[in-house]
Amino acid sequence: METAIQYHSKRFEALKKERQSFESKWTACSELMMPTRGRYQMQDVNQGGERFGNVEDETAMMARRAMSAGMMAGITSPARPWFRLMTADPAMMEYYPVKTYLNEVEQQLRLIFARSNLYQVLPNLYDEMGVIGTGAMMMLEDYDSVVRFTGLTHGEYYVATDYRGVVDTLYRRYPMTVGQIAQRGWMENATAQVKRLHERGEQDAWVEVIHGIEPNKQHRPEQPGSWAWVSVYFQPEQKENQFLHRGGYAQFPACVPRWNVAGGDVYGTDCPGFQALRITRALQVEKKEKLAGIQKQVKPPLKGSAELKAARISHIPGDITYLPQSALKGAVLEPLYHVPLNLNDLTREIAESRQIVEHIFYKDLFLMLASSDRRQMTAREVEVRHEEKLLMLGPVLERLHNELLDPLIDRVFAVAQSAGVLPDPPEELAGQELRVDYISILAQAQQAVGTRAIEAVYGFAGELAKIEPGVLDKLDADEALSAYSTMLGAPANILRSEASVKQKRQQQAALLQQTQQMQQLQQGAEMAQTLGDVDMQGVGEIAQVLQGAAHVQP
């Protein structure tokens, strides 16, 4: 019968095999665009400083940094709110206790994000997404900061999806020191080799550990302590059916956002790194050729007679080389060959290639977000300047919402609620589902593209109304205003509720009716007095009615 260790080891090997087709593309992109990333072997740890040898032109690296900073500023900026909590039923938002509760929860979640290391991990995740198409981040409970985030780099993790194409399995292979294993209290279940290293005091020796997270097939929601996801730590060489640690999670503790997914693929594709790889490789060659051409022009290879071999010949400008008289008669020193290099053409070619790479990484859009005053930048301004690029980024933003931000907020909300740091929900929310509305600059700008359609419809209706006024009856101004406000991400409290609008309109209608009645009575009294058809008693009664109507309060 297969043991638990054997099952997880077999699953790990299957995931390794499935990932192999992506690895060559990942390493090629990483070497030129983010050379310090990627951990495929044990010896890759702490070797980031030695990985810049193949980079001659840094255009892709700088474009990648601008993209990462722009996504951070435009999607999850720590300087401004980027999400808000709503109820699935809009009517529930009219209750004051519900509004107060949601506002308090939002503030608490933002405080948890700010106090944790989330905003240090997210830029690296955006880097990985843009260059290799897939990013990964762990979200684990922490006593000090409620949640602790760990960014993963390509090569050290393996994932699988469920029948819906949603990532629900993650295996991670990473190095741990003997001291770290001891700190976690796992030494009792470690291999004999690790125990010997610990006994010899070699606390900084590295050993390989595998962490597997996958759905728990034996999960029973009605049983206390039954985890929805099982979590196991073990060493590859462990033969006994004994894990370093075995536990579980109520929610999947990882985010694995992907730039795009082709068919049933598990890992992301069509990212800027994949698209820019060929041109980035060409840039390295062009830069090398340009530098070599300049060197040959400045210091060309020389040829000379054998008599000059023993002579000291200086290449310093203005220096003098002294040769014997015999050498001066027949000795000749001249360039071996001339290099007719047109640096202007090569410089222009490099500039064009760099511009293409920067365009692929959306550098102009993201750099505008990163370098602008975030407090003054509006979604409308972004939408007006870069509507075309926002449309191209639309699918990526939607996937980020579904695969990064939704799981992030769900996980942190659940952990914070379990830790008792969130307020108790009001009775009105019993059985109600909450939803998240994203209000970052890019999310609002993406929605703001739709406001053009509303403006166009109302502008066209206004022109038609000059010919046929009845066409305005077809427009619902209330719905248009609500949709327009939502698309721009305006605060919900600037619009009155349906009940408040109805009450206000009823008051206005009643006031208008009273005014009309007063005018009719006054007109009747004046007409009667003019014609002299009524006696003084009737006039007095009309005057009393008018006087009473004048004191009616709206």
Side-chain angles (χ1 to χ4, degrees):
M1 182 178 178
E2 186 179 56
T3 65
I5 284 281
Q6 291 173 339
Y7 164 78
H8 287 286
S9 298
K10 185 184 296 185
R11 184 78 193 277
F12 175 67
E13 293 299 326
L15 294 179
K16 283 178 60 178
K17 184 177 181 180
E18 185 176 6
R19 199 192 68 180
Q20 287 178 353
S21 61
F22 290 88
E23 292 179 359
S24 60
K25 196 69 167 286
W26 289 356
T27 54
C29 292
S30 182
E31 286 177 358
L32 298 177
M33 302 174 196
M34 50 179 190
T36 59
R37 308 288 176 80
R39 301 290 184 269
Y40 291 87
Q41 305 294 333
M42 278 284 293
Q43 58 267 26
D44 289 340
V45 65
N46 293 327
Q47 299 297 319
E50 300 181 0
R51 299 185 176 189
F52 285 89
N54 296 326
V55 180
E56 297 288 342
D57 185 276
E58 297 84 2
T59 301
M61 293 175 59
M62 293 186 291
R64 182 261 302 171
R65 287 201 299 266
M67 179 204 68
S68 176
M71 293 179 73
M72 189 70 190
I75 302 174
T76 52
S77 171
R80 61 183 297 162
W82 50 268
F83 73 94
R84 63 186 173 193
L85 299 180
M86 309 285 288
T87 56
D89 182 7
M92 294 297 299
M93 295 297 296
E94 305 299 329
Y95 293 98
Y96 179 77
V98 173
K99 283 185 177 181
T100 303
Y101 169 76
L102 294 179
N103 182 67
E104 291 179 359
V105 172
E106 287 176 13
Q107 296 299 327
Q108 190 63 43
L109 292 181
R110 293 190 183 107
L111 183 62
I112 292 173
F113 291 152
R115 289 182 174 178
S116 70
N117 63 329
L118 174 66
Y119 295 119
Q120 288 79 49
V121 172
L122 283 178
N124 295 334
L125 184 142
Y126 293 140
D127 275 342
E128 299 270 343
M129 276 191 65
V131 173
I132 69 162
T134 305
M137 177 178 69
M138 300 289 296
M139 306 173 291
L140 304 178
E141 299 179 21
D142 186 82
Y143 179 80
D144 296 323
S145 58
V146 183
V147 181
R148 184 74 179 174
F149 301 92
T150 302
L152 307 183
T153 186
H154 61 96
E156 68 176 351
Y157 65 89
Y158 311 80
V159 298
T161 59
D162 60 13
Y163 70 96
R164 301 170 299 165
V166 177
V167 175
D168 68 344
T169 299
L170 184 143
Y171 275 69
R172 179 190 179 197
R173 181 186 64 177
Y174 65 105
M176 291 184 67
T177 64
V178 173
Q180 291 171 347
I181 293 177
Q183 290 173 0
R184 299 291 295 269
W186 298 346
M187 191 56 63
E188 181 180 355
N189 298 330
T191 60
Q193 178 188 5
V194 173
K195 291 179 179 178
R196 286 194 297 268
L197 292 171
H198 180 62
E199 291 172 357
R200 294 200 299 261
E202 299 184 25
Q203 304 301 311
D204 296 320
W206 293 97
V207 296
E208 187 174 1
V209 174
I210 297 173
H211 181 200
I213 306 170
E214 63 178 55
N216 186 5
K217 298 177 181 178
Q218 285 76 40
H219 175 53
R220 300 293 183 268
E222 66 279 0
Q223 294 180 359
S226 178
W227 300 108
W229 271 265
V230 64
S231 169
V232 295
Y233 291 84
F234 62 97
Q235 295 178 249
E237 61 272 16
Q238 233 165 338
K239 303 300 181 183
E240 305 85 359
N241 189 27
Q242 190 173 21
F243 295 99
L244 286 173
H245 177 74
R246 181 182 175 91
Y249 304 100
Q251 308 87 24
F252 187 52
C255 294
V256 187
R258 297 163 292 179
W259 191 273
N260 193 10
V261 177
D265 286 354
V266 175
Y267 299 95
T269 57
D270 296 335
C271 58
F274 286 8
Q275 298 174 18
L277 179 59
R278 183 186 63 81
I279 301 178
T280 303
R281 281 173 169 167
L283 270 174
Q284 311 308 311
V285 176
E286 291 171 353
K287 188 67 174 292
K288 281 184 178 181
E289 290 178 347
K290 181 178 179 180
L291 292 176
I294 293 174
Q295 288 180 340
K296 288 179 179 179
Q297 285 186 333
V298 176
K299 293 183 178 181
L302 302 176
K303 63 179 179 179
S305 61
E307 297 179 5
L308 300 179
K309 186 175 181 180
R312 173 191 168 275
I313 300 176
S314 176
H315 296 276
I316 300 175
D319 199 4
I320 301 176
T321 297
Y322 296 97
L323 299 175
Q325 188 66 31
S326 58
L328 290 175
K329 292 181 180 179
V332 177
L333 187 66
E334 60 184 14
L336 182 63
Y337 55 83
H338 295 279
V339 183
L341 181 65
N342 190 338
L343 291 180
N344 292 331
D345 292 343
L346 187 55
T347 301
R348 184 167 54 251
E349 179 67 25
I350 292 175
E352 291 176 357
S353 298
R354 286 174 173 172
Q355 187 175 8
I356 293 174
V357 171
E358 292 173 352
H359 180 74
I360 291 173
F361 277 93
Y362 307 95
K363 183 177 179 179
D364 53 348
L365 170 63
F366 288 130
L367 196 58
M368 180 193 69
L369 294 176
S371 61
S372 65
D373 187 341
R374 298 175 187 173
R375 293 171 297 177
Q376 297 179 3
M377 175 65 65
T378 64
R380 184 65 171 175
E381 183 179 357
V382 178
E383 180 260 333
V384 169
R385 293 186 185 181
H386 297 278
E387 180 174 349
E388 180 182 355
K389 293 181 175 62
L390 286 168
L391 292 175
M392 295 172 63
L393 278 173
V396 179
L397 290 176
E398 290 299 323
R399 186 171 289 278
L400 273 171
H401 291 167
N402 294 332
E403 296 186 348
L404 172 61
L405 303 184
D406 284 349
L408 169 63
I409 294 177
D410 290 345
R411 171 68 173 161
V412 175
F413 180 90
V415 173
Q417 192 173 45
S418 177
V421 299
L422 297 182
D424 295 329
E427 297 179 356
E428 290 84 354
L429 283 179
Q432 294 291 325
E433 181 182 357
L434 299 182
R435 67 179 180 88
V436 182
D437 187 21
Y438 296 106
I439 54 175
S440 65
I441 288 179
L442 285 181
Q444 291 181 19
Q446 187 69 31
Q447 295 177 1
V449 174
T451 61
R452 296 287 184 89
I454 297 177
E455 294 171 355
V457 169
Y458 269 75
F460 183 64
E463 294 297 324
L464 287 179
K466 298 176 182 178
I467 304 173
E468 179 57 54
V471 73
L472 297 179
D473 297 335
K474 196 173 182 63
L475 298 178
D476 190 333
D478 289 352
E479 289 298 326
L481 182 60
S482 297
Y484 200 92
S485 176
T486 301
M487 290 177 180
L488 291 179
N493 56 4
I494 69 171
L495 298 181
R496 299 179 184 272
S497 65
E498 294 294 334
S500 178
V501 171
K502 184 177 180 181
Q503 181 182 5
K504 185 174 180 63
R505 287 175 175 172
Q506 288 176 347
Q507 293 175 351
Q508 292 174 342
L511 179 60
L512 178 62
Q513 184 178 6
Q514 291 175 0
T515 303
Q516 291 174 346
Q517 290 175 351
M518 291 173 59
Q519 292 174 349
Q520 290 174 358
L521 288 172
Q522 186 174 1
Q523 290 174 359
E526 292 175 352
M527 183 178 298
Q529 185 176 8
T530 301
L531 296 176
D533 293 337
V534 295
D535 56 13
M536 295 304 295
Q537 182 180 359
V539 173
E541 291 177 354
I542 293 175
Q544 291 178 359
V545 172
L546 291 175
Q547 185 177 5
H551 289 83
V552 173
Q553 296 296 327

